């Protein structure tokens, strides 16, 4: 199995550190072997044009056709044509991140309700397994 996610102009990435953590961005320029320039576009994802090290981004499977140092309007147009946000929200990775943030925002009572629901679920599963074994 070969590697398919390359650092290249037009590659969509997920920022994993800093104020833009958890937001999607597009690589628009490769600076050197450690850094690249990314942009959201800001109206769509909230990520302004900035230089960022590779260690602070995760590459996704998505890529849009862009030229180096593309203008913001061209990036927005490419995102719209590629329907990137809709594709991203269908991915398991995005659903897992949304679930994680939702769970982190729960109150004490919310966590209690989740615990009770898990106990009920495991009880139902245990009964079903016992019934199948008998």
């Amino acid at each position: 199995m070969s590697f398919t996610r390359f650092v290249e102009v037009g590659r969509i990435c997920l920022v994993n550190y800093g104020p833009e953590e958890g937001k999607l961005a597009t690589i628009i320029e490769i600076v050197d072997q450690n850094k690249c320039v990314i942009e959201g576009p800001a109206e769509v994802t909230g990520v302004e044009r900035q230089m960022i090290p590779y260690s602070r981004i995760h590459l996704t499977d998505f890529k849009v056709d862009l030229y180096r140092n593309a203008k913001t309007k061209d990036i927005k147009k490419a995102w719209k044509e590629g329907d990137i946000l809709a594709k991203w929200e269908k991915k398991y990775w995005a659903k897992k991140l949304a679930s994680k943030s939702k769970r982190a925002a729960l109150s004490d009572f919310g966590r209690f309700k989740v615990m009770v629901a898990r106990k009920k679920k495991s009880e139902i599963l245990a009964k079903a397994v016992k019934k199948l074994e008998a």
Side-chain angles (χ1 to χ4, degrees), residues 52-72:
I52 192 165
Y54 296 138
S55 62
R56 294 189 177 185
I57 59 174
H58 290 301
L59 301 176
T60 67
D61 293 331
F62 306 121
K63 184 180 181 313
V64 292
D65 288 331
L66 287 176
Y67 52 90
R68 291 176 53 189
N69 278 329
K71 296 179 180 178
T72 303

Side-chain angles (χ1 to χ4, degrees), residues 68-107:
R68 291 176 53 189
N69 278 329
K71 296 179 180 178
T72 303
K73 68 176 186 175
D74 296 332
I75 299 170
K76 247 189 339 189
K77 182 180 174 187
W79 271 60
K80 190 175 281 189
E81 287 175 359
D83 201 22
I84 299 299
L85 283 179
K87 288 179 183 176
W88 170 250
E89 289 173 2
K90 290 179 186 174
K91 293 291 248 180
Y92 176 74
W93 189 0
K95 291 176 184 176
K96 187 170 71 170
L97 286 174
S99 169
K100 194 174 182 181
S101 66
K102 184 178 178 183
R103 194 164 196 152
L106 285 176
S107 65

Side-chain angles (χ1 to χ4, degrees), residues 124-134:
I124 291 168
L125 285 174
K127 284 181 182 179
V129 168
K130 192 172 184 180
K131 185 177 180 181
L132 287 173
E133 289 175 351

